[in-house]
Amino acid sequence: MHNQKGFSKLPISRPSSSFTDFQLASIGSFLVHESALFLSGLPFIYLDRAGLLSKYKIQTKNNSPTTHEKCITTLLLYHFSFSLPLLIVSYPVFKFVGMKSSLPFPSWKVVLSQIIFYFILEDFVFYWGHRVLHTKWLYKHVHSVHHEFATPFGPTAEYSHPAEILFLGSATIIGPVITGPHVFTLWLWLVLRVLAAVEEHCGYHFPWSLSNFLPLYGGAEFHDYHHRLPYIKSGNYASTFVYMDWIYGTDKGYRKLKALKQNGADNDHKQI
């Protein structure tokens, strides 16, 4: 018998009673994604412009309002002209793999196991795809668009060439395609992945940043290093967690720099 524990007992009416599976999977997913991106990303533009919490900025340089506006307008253009149509035409794939939108909701164990699987798989696929984009031709013609911002800020997480949106975006969607999740799980995964990407590009390292508490989590400092260096020397290709860079040694420059900074801070402390 189907497990009725967890989310399945939540007193929520059937989510597809007013909307079709197609609307929830395509339009709904797009709206969830855009909401997560801009609600989490725009506050960092405000922090830059207002000069608030500047002591936590990783780089001293600020982007200009013109740069902010260029990023936002480009994102909206690409998302509505490319990402949304892509979600719409992808619906038959999700239908084929068995994605559901009706009650009951899956149990929390199912949701948690799928989300963990998505993070692990996404990290692996993204790492290798990102390394490929740092080869000479692909960097020059595709990935250099994302690296226009040597000083990243929240929404730049998704500022990319359309070809890169399709290429690296597959890393995010491959997990759900394999498992055929409930639309609730898909939306939760999109929100978590967007929040992680925005945090990695936010340009701030706070005392409450996740990287201070989760040893394998990359965070803003880890990815900011990637944006500051030339494409052939950058390293730090990972998406969310750092183990792939550690396994393949593509974080050596970053770790050496951190060690030098730590030794300098220790020496200064001893002299006081």
Side-chain angles (χ1 to χ4, degrees), residues 129-201:
H130 196 183
R131 283 193 69 170
V132 167
L133 287 174
H134 274 263
T135 55
K136 187 174 181 179
W137 191 91
L138 284 173
Y139 184 89
K140 179 180 179 181
H141 296 282
V142 179
H143 194 49
S144 59
V145 173
H146 181 67
H147 278 267
E148 286 180 21
F149 300 99
T151 306
F153 52 94
T156 59
E158 297 200 2
Y159 183 90
S160 304
H161 190 285
E164 180 173 341
I165 295 174
L166 180 62
F167 182 54
L168 286 186
S170 64
T172 301
I173 213 69
I174 188 171
V177 167
I178 291 173
T179 64
H182 193 281
V183 71
F184 170 83
T185 309
L186 175 64
W187 289 354
L188 178 60
W189 163 238
L190 289 176
V191 169
L192 292 175
R193 183 64 197 97
V194 168
L195 292 180
V198 168
E199 198 271 340
E200 291 152 15
H201 289 82

Coordinates of all heavy atoms in Angstrom, one line a residue, residues 129-201:
G129 N 31.0 19.5 -17.3 CA 30.6 20.5 -18.3 C 31.3 21.8 -18.2 O 31.6 22.4 -19.2
H130 N 31.5 22.3 -17.0 CA 32.1 23.5 -16.7 C 33.6 23.5 -17.1 O 34.1 24.5 -17.7 CB 32.0 23.9 -15.2 CG 32.3 25.3 -14.9 ND1 32.3 25.8 -13.6 CD2 32.6 26.4 -15.7 CE1 32.6 27.1 -13.6 NE2 32.8 27.4 -14.8
R131 N 34.2 22.4 -16.9 CA 35.6 22.3 -17.3 C 35.7 22.3 -18.8 O 36.6 22.9 -19.4 CB 36.2 21.0 -16.8 CG 36.6 21.0 -15.3 CD 37.5 19.9 -14.9 NE 38.8 19.9 -15.5 CZ 39.8 19.1 -15.1 NH1 39.6 18.2 -14.2 NH2 41.0 19.2 -15.7
V132 N 34.8 21.7 -19.5 CA 34.8 21.7 -21.0 C 34.6 23.1 -21.5 O 35.2 23.6 -22.4 CB 33.7 20.8 -21.5 CG1 33.4 21.0 -23.0 CG2 34.0 19.3 -21.3
L133 N 33.7 23.9 -20.8 CA 33.5 25.3 -21.2 C 34.7 26.2 -21.0 O 34.8 27.3 -21.5 CB 32.3 25.9 -20.4 CG 30.9 25.4 -20.9 CD1 29.9 25.9 -19.9 CD2 30.6 25.8 -22.3
H134 N 35.7 25.7 -20.2 CA 36.9 26.5 -20.0 C 38.0 26.1 -21.0 O 39.2 26.5 -20.8 CB 37.4 26.4 -18.6 CG 36.8 27.4 -17.7 ND1 37.4 28.6 -17.4 CD2 35.5 27.4 -17.1 CE1 36.5 29.3 -16.6 NE2 35.4 28.6 -16.4
T135 N 37.7 25.3 -22.0 CA 38.6 25.1 -23.1 C 38.6 26.3 -24.0 O 37.6 27.1 -24.0 CB 38.3 23.8 -23.9 OG1 36.9 23.9 -24.4 CG2 38.4 22.6 -23.1
K136 N 39.6 26.5 -24.8 CA 39.9 27.8 -25.4 C 38.7 28.2 -26.3 O 38.2 29.4 -26.2 CB 41.1 27.7 -26.3 CG 41.6 29.1 -26.9 CD 42.9 29.0 -27.6 CE 43.3 30.3 -28.1 NZ 44.7 30.2 -28.8
W137 N 38.2 27.4 -27.2 CA 37.2 27.8 -28.2 C 35.9 28.0 -27.5 O 35.2 29.1 -27.7 CB 37.1 26.7 -29.3 CG 36.2 27.2 -30.4 CD1 36.6 27.9 -31.6 CD2 34.8 27.2 -30.5 NE1 35.6 28.2 -32.4 CE2 34.4 27.7 -31.8 CE3 33.8 26.6 -29.7 CZ2 33.1 27.8 -32.2 CZ3 32.4 26.7 -30.1 CH2 32.1 27.3 -31.4
L138 N 35.5 27.1 -26.6 CA 34.2 27.2 -26.0 C 34.2 28.4 -25.0 O 33.1 29.1 -24.8 CB 33.8 26.0 -25.2 CG 33.3 24.8 -26.1 CD1 33.2 23.5 -25.3 CD2 32.0 25.2 -26.8
Y139 N 35.3 28.7 -24.4 CA 35.3 29.8 -23.5 C 35.2 31.1 -24.3 O 34.4 32.0 -23.9 CB 36.6 29.9 -22.7 CG 36.7 31.0 -21.7 CD1 36.2 30.8 -20.4 CD2 37.1 32.3 -22.0 CE1 36.2 31.9 -19.5 CE2 37.1 33.3 -21.2 CZ 36.7 33.1 -19.9 OH 36.6 34.2 -19.0
K140 N 35.9 31.2 -25.4 CA 35.9 32.4 -26.2 C 34.5 32.7 -26.7 O 34.0 33.8 -26.7 CB 36.9 32.3 -27.3 CG 36.9 33.6 -28.2 CD 37.9 33.4 -29.3 CE 37.9 34.6 -30.3 NZ 38.9 34.4 -31.4
H141 N 33.8 31.7 -27.2 CA 32.6 31.9 -28.0 C 31.3 31.7 -27.1 O 30.2 32.1 -27.5 CB 32.5 30.9 -29.2 CG 33.6 31.2 -30.2 ND1 33.5 32.2 -31.1 CD2 34.8 30.6 -30.4 CE1 34.6 32.3 -31.9 NE2 35.3 31.3 -31.5
V142 N 31.4 31.0 -25.9 CA 30.3 30.7 -25.1 C 30.4 31.2 -23.7 O 29.7 32.1 -23.2 CB 29.9 29.2 -25.2 CG1 28.7 28.9 -24.3 CG2 29.7 28.8 -26.6
H143 N 31.4 30.6 -23.0 CA 31.4 30.8 -21.5 C 31.9 32.2 -21.1 O 31.7 32.6 -20.0 CB 32.3 29.7 -20.9 CG 32.2 29.6 -19.4 ND1 30.9 29.6 -18.8 CD2 33.1 29.6 -18.4 CE1 31.1 29.5 -17.5 NE2 32.4 29.5 -17.2
S144 N 32.6 32.9 -22.0 CA 33.1 34.2 -21.7 C 32.0 35.2 -21.3 O 32.2 36.2 -20.6 CB 33.9 34.8 -22.8 OG 33.2 34.9 -24.0
V145 N 30.8 34.9 -21.8 CA 29.6 35.8 -21.5 C 29.4 35.8 -20.0 O 29.2 36.8 -19.4 CB 28.4 35.3 -22.2 CG1 27.1 36.1 -21.8 CG2 28.5 35.4 -23.8
H146 N 29.4 34.6 -19.4 CA 29.2 34.5 -17.9 C 30.3 35.2 -17.2 O 30.1 35.8 -16.1 CB 29.1 33.0 -17.5 CG 28.9 32.8 -16.1 ND1 27.7 33.2 -15.4 CD2 29.7 32.3 -15.1 CE1 27.8 32.9 -14.2 NE2 29.0 32.4 -13.9
H147 N 31.5 35.2 -17.7 CA 32.7 35.7 -17.1 C 32.9 37.2 -17.4 O 33.9 37.8 -17.1 CB 34.0 35.0 -17.4 CG 34.1 33.7 -16.6 ND1 34.8 33.7 -15.4 CD2 33.6 32.5 -16.8 CE1 34.8 32.5 -14.9 NE2 34.1 31.7 -15.7
E148 N 31.9 37.8 -18.0 CA 31.9 39.3 -18.1 C 32.0 40.0 -16.8 O 32.5 41.1 -16.6 CB 30.7 39.8 -18.9 CG 30.7 39.5 -20.4 CD 29.5 40.0 -21.1 OE1 28.8 40.9 -20.5 OE2 29.1 39.5 -22.2
F149 N 31.5 39.3 -15.8 CA 31.5 39.9 -14.4 C 32.6 39.3 -13.6 O 32.5 38.2 -13.0 CB 30.1 39.6 -13.8 CG 29.0 40.2 -14.5 CD1 28.2 39.4 -15.4 CD2 28.7 41.6 -14.4 CE1 27.2 40.0 -16.1 CE2 27.7 42.1 -15.1 CZ 26.9 41.4 -16.0
A150 N 33.8 39.9 -13.5 CA 34.9 39.5 -12.7 C 34.5 39.7 -11.2 O 35.1 39.0 -10.3 CB 36.2 40.2 -13.0
T151 N 33.6 40.6 -10.9 CA 33.0 40.8 -9.6 C 31.6 40.4 -9.7 O 30.7 41.2 -9.9 CB 33.2 42.3 -9.2 OG1 34.5 42.7 -9.3 CG2 32.7 42.5 -7.7
P152 N 31.3 39.2 -9.4 CA 29.9 38.7 -9.5 C 29.0 39.3 -8.5 O 29.4 39.6 -7.4 CB 30.0 37.2 -9.4 CG 31.2 37.0 -8.7 CD 32.2 38.1 -9.0
F153 N 27.7 39.3 -8.8 CA 26.6 39.6 -7.8 C 25.5 38.7 -8.0 O 25.3 38.1 -9.1 CB 26.2 41.1 -7.9 CG 25.8 41.6 -9.3 CD1 24.5 41.6 -9.7 CD2 26.8 42.0 -10.2 CE1 24.2 42.0 -11.0 CE2 26.5 42.4 -11.5 CZ 25.1 42.4 -11.9
G154 N 24.6 38.5 -7.1 CA 23.5 37.5 -7.1 C 23.0 37.1 -8.4 O 23.2 35.9 -8.8
P155 N 22.3 37.9 -9.2 CA 21.7 37.4 -10.4 C 22.6 37.0 -11.5 O 22.2 36.3 -12.4 CB 20.9 38.7 -10.9 CG 20.6 39.5 -9.6 CD 21.9 39.3 -8.8
T156 N 23.9 37.3 -11.4 CA 24.9 36.9 -12.4 C 25.0 35.4 -12.4 O 25.6 34.8 -13.3 CB 26.3 37.5 -12.2 OG1 26.8 37.2 -10.9 CG2 26.2 39.0 -12.3
A157 N 24.5 34.7 -11.4 CA 24.5 33.2 -11.4 C 23.9 32.6 -12.7 O 24.4 31.6 -13.1 CB 23.7 32.7 -10.2
E158 N 23.0 33.3 -13.3 CA 22.4 32.8 -14.5 C 22.6 33.7 -15.7 O 21.9 33.5 -16.8 CB 20.9 32.5 -14.3 CG 20.6 31.5 -13.2 CD 19.2 30.9 -13.2 OE1 18.5 31.3 -14.2 OE2 18.9 30.1 -12.4
Y159 N 23.5 34.6 -15.6 CA 23.9 35.4 -16.8 C 24.8 34.6 -17.7 O 26.0 34.5 -17.4 CB 24.6 36.7 -16.3 CG 24.9 37.7 -17.4 CD1 24.0 38.6 -17.8 CD2 26.1 37.6 -18.1 CE1 24.3 39.5 -18.9 CE2 26.5 38.5 -19.1 CZ 25.5 39.5 -19.5 OH 25.8 40.3 -20.5
S160 N 24.3 34.0 -18.8 CA 25.1 33.1 -19.6 C 24.6 33.2 -21.0 O 23.5 33.6 -21.3 CB 24.9 31.7 -19.1 OG 25.3 31.5 -17.7
H161 N 25.4 32.7 -21.9 CA 25.1 32.5 -23.3 C 24.0 31.5 -23.4 O 23.9 30.5 -22.6 CB 26.3 32.0 -24.1 CG 26.2 32.0 -25.6 ND1 25.5 31.0 -26.2 CD2 26.7 32.8 -26.5 CE1 25.5 31.3 -27.5 NE2 26.3 32.3 -27.7
P162 N 23.0 31.6 -24.3 CA 21.9 30.6 -24.5 C 22.4 29.2 -24.6 O 21.8 28.3 -24.1 CB 21.2 31.1 -25.7 CG 21.4 32.6 -25.7 CD 22.8 32.8 -25.2
A163 N 23.5 29.0 -25.3 CA 24.1 27.7 -25.5 C 24.5 27.1 -24.2 O 24.4 25.9 -23.9 CB 25.3 27.7 -26.5
E164 N 25.0 28.0 -23.3 CA 25.4 27.5 -22.0 C 24.2 27.2 -21.1 O 24.2 26.3 -20.3 CB 26.3 28.5 -21.3 CG 26.8 28.1 -19.9 CD 27.8 29.1 -19.3 OE1 28.4 29.8 -20.0 OE2 27.9 29.0 -18.0
I165 N 23.2 28.0 -21.2 CA 21.9 27.7 -20.5 C 21.4 26.3 -20.8 O 21.0 25.6 -19.9 CB 20.8 28.8 -20.9 CG1 21.3 30.2 -20.4 CG2 19.5 28.4 -20.2 CD1 20.3 31.3 -20.9
L166 N 21.5 25.9 -22.1 CA 21.1 24.6 -22.5 C 22.1 23.5 -22.0 O 21.7 22.5 -21.5 CB 20.9 24.6 -24.0 CG 20.5 23.2 -24.6 CD1 19.1 22.9 -24.1 CD2 20.5 23.3 -26.2
F167 N 23.3 23.8 -22.2 CA 24.4 22.8 -21.9 C 24.5 22.5 -20.4 O 24.3 21.4 -19.9 CB 25.7 23.3 -22.4 CG 26.9 22.4 -22.3 CD1 26.8 21.1 -22.7 CD2 28.0 22.8 -21.7 CE1 27.8 20.2 -22.5 CE2 29.1 21.9 -21.5 CZ 29.0 20.6 -21.9
L168 N 24.7 23.6 -19.6 CA 24.9 23.4 -18.1 C 23.5 23.2 -17.5 O 23.4 22.6 -16.4 CB 25.7 24.5 -17.5 CG 27.2 24.5 -17.8 CD1 27.9 25.6 -17.0 CD2 27.8 23.2 -17.5
G169 N 22.5 23.8 -18.1 CA 21.1 23.6 -17.5 C 20.7 22.1 -17.5 O 19.9 21.7 -16.6
S170 N 21.3 21.3 -18.4 CA 21.0 19.9 -18.4 C 21.5 19.2 -17.1 O 20.9 18.2 -16.7 CB 21.6 19.2 -19.6 OG 23.1 19.3 -19.5
A171 N 22.5 19.8 -16.5 CA 23.0 19.2 -15.2 C 21.9 19.3 -14.1 O 21.8 18.4 -13.3 CB 24.3 19.9 -14.8
T172 N 21.1 20.4 -14.2 CA 20.1 20.6 -13.2 C 18.9 19.7 -13.4 O 18.2 19.3 -12.5 CB 19.6 22.1 -13.2 OG1 20.8 22.9 -12.9 CG2 18.5 22.3 -12.2
I173 N 18.6 19.5 -14.7 CA 17.3 18.8 -15.0 C 17.5 17.3 -15.2 O 16.5 16.5 -15.2 CB 16.7 19.4 -16.3 CG1 15.2 19.4 -16.2 CG2 17.3 18.8 -17.5 CD1 14.7 20.3 -15.2
I174 N 18.7 16.8 -15.3 CA 18.9 15.4 -15.6 C 18.4 14.5 -14.4 O 17.9 13.4 -14.7 CB 20.4 15.1 -15.9 CG1 20.6 13.6 -16.4 CG2 21.3 15.3 -14.7 CD1 21.9 13.3 -16.9
G175 N 18.6 14.9 -13.2 CA 18.1 14.1 -12.1 C 16.6 13.9 -12.1 O 16.1 12.8 -12.0
P176 N 15.8 15.0 -12.2 CA 14.4 14.9 -12.3 C 13.9 14.0 -13.5 O 12.9 13.3 -13.4 CB 13.9 16.3 -12.4 CG 14.9 17.1 -11.6 CD 16.2 16.4 -12.0
V177 N 14.7 14.1 -14.6 CA 14.3 13.3 -15.8 C 14.5 11.9 -15.5 O 13.7 11.0 -15.9 CB 15.2 13.7 -17.0 CG1 15.0 12.7 -18.1 CG2 14.7 15.1 -17.5
I178 N 15.5 11.5 -14.7 CA 15.7 10.1 -14.3 C 14.7 9.6 -13.4 O 14.2 8.4 -13.5 CB 17.2 9.9 -13.7 CG1 18.2 10.2 -14.8 CG2 17.3 8.6 -13.1 CD1 19.6 10.2 -14.2
T179 N 14.3 10.4 -12.4 CA 13.4 9.9 -11.3 C 11.9 10.1 -11.6 O 11.1 9.5 -10.9 CB 13.8 10.5 -10.0 OG1 13.6 11.9 -10.0 CG2 15.2 10.3 -9.6
G180 N 11.6 11.1 -12.4 CA 10.2 11.4 -12.7 C 9.5 11.8 -11.4 O 8.6 11.1 -10.9
P181 N 9.9 12.9 -10.7 CA 9.4 13.2 -9.4 C 8.0 13.9 -9.4 O 7.4 14.2 -10.5 CB 10.4 14.3 -9.0 CG 10.7 15.0 -10.2 CD 10.8 14.0 -11.3
H182 N 7.4 14.1 -8.2 CA 6.3 14.9 -8.1 C 6.6 16.3 -8.4 O 7.8 16.7 -8.1 CB 5.7 14.7 -6.6 CG 4.3 15.3 -6.5 ND1 4.1 16.6 -6.4 CD2 3.1 14.7 -6.4 CE1 2.8 16.8 -6.2 NE2 2.2 15.6 -6.2
V183 N 5.7 17.1 -8.9 CA 6.0 18.5 -9.3 C 6.5 19.3 -8.0 O 7.3 20.2 -8.1 CB 4.8 19.2 -10.0 CG1 3.7 19.4 -9.0 CG2 5.3 20.5 -10.7
F184 N 6.0 18.9 -6.9 CA 6.4 19.6 -5.6 C 7.9 19.4 -5.4 O 8.6 20.3 -5.1 CB 5.6 19.0 -4.4 CG 6.2 19.4 -3.1 CD1 5.8 20.7 -2.6 CD2 7.1 18.6 -2.4 CE1 6.3 21.1 -1.3 CE2 7.6 19.0 -1.2 CZ 7.2 20.3 -0.6
T185 N 8.4 18.2 -5.6 CA 9.8 17.9 -5.5 C 10.6 18.6 -6.5 O 11.7 19.2 -6.2 CB 10.1 16.4 -5.6 OG1 9.2 15.7 -4.8 CG2 11.5 16.0 -5.3
L186 N 10.1 18.7 -7.7 CA 10.8 19.5 -8.8 C 10.9 20.9 -8.4 O 12.0 21.5 -8.5 CB 10.0 19.3 -10.1 CG 10.6 20.2 -11.3 CD1 12.0 19.7 -11.7 CD2 9.6 20.1 -12.5
W187 N 9.9 21.5 -7.9 CA 9.9 22.9 -7.5 C 10.9 23.2 -6.4 O 11.6 24.1 -6.3 CB 8.5 23.4 -7.1 CG 7.6 23.5 -8.3 CD1 7.9 23.4 -9.6 CD2 6.2 23.8 -8.3 NE1 6.8 23.6 -10.4 CE2 5.7 23.8 -9.6 CE3 5.3 24.1 -7.3 CZ2 4.4 24.1 -9.9 CZ3 4.0 24.3 -7.6 CH2 3.5 24.4 -8.9
L188 N 10.8 22.3 -5.4 CA 11.8 22.4 -4.3 C 13.2 22.3 -4.7 O 14.1 23.1 -4.3 CB 11.5 21.3 -3.2 CG 12.4 21.2 -2.0 CD1 12.3 22.5 -1.2 CD2 12.1 20.0 -1.1
W189 N 13.5 21.4 -5.6 CA 14.8 21.3 -6.2 C 15.2 22.5 -6.9 O 16.4 23.0 -6.7 CB 14.9 20.0 -7.1 CG 16.1 20.0 -8.0 CD1 16.0 19.9 -9.4 CD2 17.5 20.0 -7.7 NE1 17.3 19.9 -9.9 CE2 18.2 20.0 -8.9 CE3 18.2 20.1 -6.5 CZ2 19.6 20.0 -9.0 CZ3 19.6 20.1 -6.5 CH2 20.3 20.0 -7.7
L190 N 14.4 23.1 -7.7 CA 14.7 24.3 -8.5 C 15.0 25.5 -7.5 O 16.0 26.2 -7.7 CB 13.5 24.7 -9.4 CG 13.3 23.8 -10.6 CD1 12.0 24.3 -11.3 CD2 14.5 23.8 -11.5
V191 N 14.2 25.6 -6.5 CA 14.4 26.7 -5.5 C 15.8 26.5 -4.8 O 16.6 27.4 -4.7 CB 13.3 26.7 -4.4 CG1 13.7 27.6 -3.3 CG2 12.0 27.2 -5.1
L192 N 16.1 25.3 -4.3 CA 17.3 25.0 -3.6 C 18.5 25.3 -4.5 O 19.5 25.8 -4.1 CB 17.4 23.6 -3.1 CG 16.4 23.3 -1.9 CD1 16.4 21.8 -1.6 CD2 16.7 24.2 -0.7
R193 N 18.4 24.8 -5.8 CA 19.6 25.0 -6.7 C 19.8 26.4 -7.0 O 20.9 26.9 -7.1 CB 19.3 24.2 -8.0 CG 20.4 24.2 -9.0 CD 21.7 23.6 -8.4 NE 22.9 24.0 -9.2 CZ 23.7 25.0 -8.8 NH1 23.5 25.7 -7.7 NH2 24.7 25.2 -9.5
V194 N 18.7 27.2 -7.2 CA 18.8 28.6 -7.5 C 19.4 29.4 -6.3 O 20.3 30.2 -6.5 CB 17.4 29.2 -7.9 CG1 17.5 30.7 -8.0 CG2 17.0 28.7 -9.3
L195 N 18.9 29.1 -5.1 CA 19.4 29.7 -3.9 C 20.9 29.5 -3.8 O 21.7 30.4 -3.4 CB 18.7 29.3 -2.7 CG 17.2 29.7 -2.6 CD1 16.6 29.1 -1.3 CD2 17.1 31.2 -2.6
A196 N 21.4 28.2 -4.0 CA 22.8 27.9 -3.9 C 23.6 28.7 -5.0 O 24.7 29.3 -4.7 CB 23.0 26.4 -4.1
A197 N 23.1 28.8 -6.2 CA 23.8 29.5 -7.3 C 23.9 31.0 -7.0 O 24.9 31.6 -7.2 CB 23.1 29.2 -8.6
V198 N 22.8 31.6 -6.5 CA 22.8 33.0 -6.2 C 23.8 33.2 -5.0 O 24.6 34.2 -5.1 CB 21.4 33.5 -5.8 CG1 21.5 34.9 -5.1 CG2 20.5 33.5 -7.0
E199 N 23.8 32.4 -4.0 CA 24.7 32.6 -2.9 C 26.2 32.5 -3.3 O 27.0 33.2 -2.9 CB 24.4 31.5 -1.8 CG 25.0 31.8 -0.4 CD 26.4 31.3 -0.2 OE1 26.8 30.4 -1.0 OE2 27.1 31.8 0.6
E200 N 26.5 31.5 -4.3 CA 27.8 31.4 -4.8 C 28.3 32.6 -5.6 O 29.5 32.9 -5.7 CB 27.9 30.1 -5.6 CG 27.7 28.8 -4.9 CD 27.1 27.7 -5.7 OE1 27.1 27.8 -6.9 OE2 26.7 26.7 -5.1
H201 N 27.4 33.3 -6.1 CA 27.7 34.5 -7.0 C 27.4 35.8 -6.2 O 27.6 36.9 -6.8 CB 26.9 34.5 -8.3 CG 27.3 33.4 -9.2 ND1 26.9 32.1 -9.1 CD2 28.2 33.5 -10.3 CE1 27.5 31.4 -10.1 NE2 28.2 32.2 -10.8

